[in-house]
Amino acid sequence: MQELITKVEQWFIDRNLHTLDGTGQLVKLQEEVNELKDAYEKNDREEMIDAVGDITVVLIVFCMQTGLDFEECLASAYEEIKDRKGKVVDGVFVKEAY
């Protein structure tokens, strides 16, 4: 995973896109999420794979542009959810209230 992250980061560095402020990536992220939703609704596995990959690339460069570490963000999210308890309601996990 780290090797792929490094390759994605280098792609953006090579094109001098790594110093932007991240605003454009937020727009791109919304577009890619919409593409994922469309692919899911069409049950198009190949397009879902493409969209998830594109979303990941956008998140990696957003982190790069805003001084965040992608792996640190993922680890933080995992630490937050790892001990959660709850139930699935209408296909969505709902955490227990504490």
Side-chain angles (χ1 to χ4, degrees):
M1 182 66 134
Q2 182 54 54
E3 182 180 341
L4 283 172
I5 292 170
T6 299
K7 286 179 178 181
V8 169
E9 290 173 338
Q10 190 60 54
W11 189 93
F12 281 91
I13 290 169
D14 290 347
R15 289 152 182 83
N16 202 31
L17 300 170
H18 62 294
T19 59
L20 300 176
D21 69 1
T23 303
Q25 294 309 307
L26 293 176
V27 172
K28 189 67 177 166
L29 180 60
Q30 186 64 56
E31 291 173 10
E32 298 298 348
V33 169
N34 289 339
E35 287 181 19
L36 177 59
K37 183 177 180 288
D38 291 343
Y40 177 79
E41 289 171 351
K42 294 174 184 170
N43 197 30
D44 187 333
R45 180 175 168 76
E46 290 302 314
E47 286 300 316
M48 286 190 285
I49 290 169
D50 180 67
V52 168
D54 289 346
I55 288 166
T56 305
V57 166
V58 170
L59 289 173
I60 290 168
V61 75
F62 175 80
C63 287
M64 192 177 179
Q65 290 174 345
T66 59
L68 299 172
D69 180 280
F70 180 76
E71 286 184 282
E72 182 182 342
C73 293
L74 182 57
S76 175
Y78 175 73
E79 285 299 315
E80 190 173 316
I81 67 166
K82 70 179 183 178
D83 297 319
R84 269 194 194 149
K85 307 251 185 294
K87 61 184 177 180
V88 176
V89 177
D90 295 326
V92 177
F93 181 80
V94 178
K95 66 181 178 180
E96 281 181 359
Y98 295 101

